[in-house]
């Protein structure tokens, strides 16, 4: 509600809420847009299912900070993590609302050349993320992606709350994923460590009005880094 959103904003010196709009309730998150009095909108992202290996709001904050310093990509300028649990029963992240058109909606409505352009744009974004220099001790989980098949299974089908929620959403998902994993080819080895954006998809991008170039990227809650001491594989598992 507006009153609760105002309490959150005032706690962090971000003004007062004018309106609150739910942007969706996902498997482990709830997300709201907060319009503010005399200021630009914000997004409040709460993590109501916690303790999932490789999926945490602290990873999103860390990835945004790394990308701000190491790329020219448009990521949220504001990213503020609150784990106090004094106003909500779950940690939450406050970010800038990124205006524009959804890259996925443009892709779905576009013709062949438009879709090819957007696919190339997503490839450009991924190249920039993969080439982003990493600090020596980032707050990002280490991933030995040589075992990527096992990582996918352990993350999605561990018999926890996430597993149950996924089965409720799509009972056929687990069988389909396991079938795909059994026939999937290995991904080429890359020698240098890099940032891995595991939710790389056009639905996590925005395009400025009048353009078809990706202007913003978001949702890095599942971001990881490769292990530094072994040659590993790039894993981009779009969920």
């Amino acid at each position: 509600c507006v009153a609760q959103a105002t309490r959150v904003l005032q706690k962090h010196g971000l003004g007062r809420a004018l309106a609150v709009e739910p942007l969706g309730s996902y498997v482990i998150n709830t997300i709201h847009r907060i319009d503010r009095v005399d200021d630009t909108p914000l997004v409040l992202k709460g993590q109501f299912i916690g303790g999932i290996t490789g999926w945490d709001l602290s990873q999103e904050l860390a990835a945004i900070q790394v990308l701000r310093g190491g790329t020219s990509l448009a990521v949220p300028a504001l990213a503020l993590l609150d784990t106090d649990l004094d106003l909500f029963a779950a940690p939450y992240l406050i970010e800038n609302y990124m205006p524009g058109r959804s890259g996925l909606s443009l892709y779905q409505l576009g013709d062949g050349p438009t879709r090819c352009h957007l696919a190339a744009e997503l490839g450009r974004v991924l190249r920039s993320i993969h080439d982003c220099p990493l600090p020596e001790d980032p707050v990002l989980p280490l991933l030995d992606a040589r075992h990527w098949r096992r990582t996918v299974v352990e993350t999605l089908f561990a018999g926890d709350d996430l597993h149950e929620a996924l089965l409720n959403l799509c009972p056929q998902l687990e069988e389909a994923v396991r079938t795909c994993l059994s026939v999937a080819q290995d991904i080429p080895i890359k020698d240098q460590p890099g940032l891995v954006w595991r939710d790389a998809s056009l639905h996590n991008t925005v395009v400025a009005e009048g353009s078809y170039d990706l202007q913003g990227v978001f949702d890095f809650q599942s971001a990881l880094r490769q292990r530094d001491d072994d040659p590993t594989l790039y894993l981009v598992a779009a969920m």
Side-chain angles (χ1 to χ4, degrees), residues 4 16 18 28 43 48 56 72 83 85 87 90 153 155 161 173 176 217 236-237 239:
Q4 187 175 23
R16 294 187 298 117
L18 180 65
I28 63 174
V43 171
F48 57 82
D56 192 89
S72 60
T83 60
L85 306 184
L87 299 177
V153 172
T155 300
D161 291 342
L173 177 64
V217 290
V236 181
M239 301 297 300

Side-chain angles (χ1 to χ4, degrees), residues 146-157:
R146 292 172 301 177
H147 309 299
W148 64 274
R149 290 180 177 83
R150 186 180 68 197
T151 300
V152 171
V153 172
E154 290 177 349
T155 300
L156 298 183
F157 309 128

Side-chain angles (χ1 to χ4, degrees), residues 24-207:
S25 182
Y26 300 94
V27 175
I28 63 174
N29 298 115
T30 182
I31 304 176
H32 291 78
R33 168 176 165 157
I34 302 177
D35 291 322
R36 293 186 288 171
V37 177
D38 300 324
D39 213 331
T40 55
L42 298 173
V43 171
L44 188 148
K45 182 175 185 179
Q47 183 173 337
F48 57 82
I49 297 181
I52 298 172
T53 302
W55 298 78
D56 192 89
L57 289 178
S58 64
Q59 294 165 222
E60 180 154 352
L61 175 61
I64 289 173
Q65 292 171 337
V66 169
L67 291 171
R68 277 188 203 148
T71 74
S72 60
L73 295 174
V75 297
L78 170 69
L80 191 157
L81 179 62
D82 190 314
T83 60
D84 292 343
L85 306 184
D86 54 345
L87 299 177
F88 286 107
Y92 60 86
L93 189 68
I94 300 175
E95 301 175 320
N96 298 109
Y97 178 79
M98 304 187 73
R101 298 175 293 172
S102 164
L104 178 61
S105 66
L106 284 179
Y107 182 89
Q108 292 172 334
L109 296 172
D111 56 14
T114 297
R115 291 186 171 193
C116 287
H117 177 79
L118 289 169
E121 279 288 288
L122 184 59
R124 175 183 63 82
V125 168
L126 288 171
R127 179 75 275 157
S128 182
I129 291 173
H130 291 170
D131 289 342
C132 179
L134 287 172
E136 292 185 3
D137 188 25
V139 187
L140 290 167
L142 291 169
L143 171 69
D144 185 347
R146 292 172 301 177
H147 309 299
W148 64 274
R149 290 180 177 83
R150 186 180 68 197
T151 300
V152 171
V153 172
E154 290 177 349
T155 300
L156 298 183
F157 309 128
D160 54 12
D161 291 342
L162 174 62
H163 189 183
E164 181 180 355
L166 290 172
L167 290 179
N168 288 335
L169 286 171
C170 180
Q172 297 81 28
L173 177 64
E174 182 169 355
E175 181 181 356
V177 170
R178 289 182 182 275
T179 299
C180 289
L181 290 174
S182 68
V183 298
Q185 296 182 354
D186 285 332
I187 306 168
I189 290 176
K190 178 177 172 60
D191 291 332
Q192 298 299 317
L195 183 65
V196 182
W197 181 25
R198 291 194 296 167
D199 210 358
S201 171
L202 285 171
H203 75 262
N204 288 329
T205 65
V206 293
V207 177

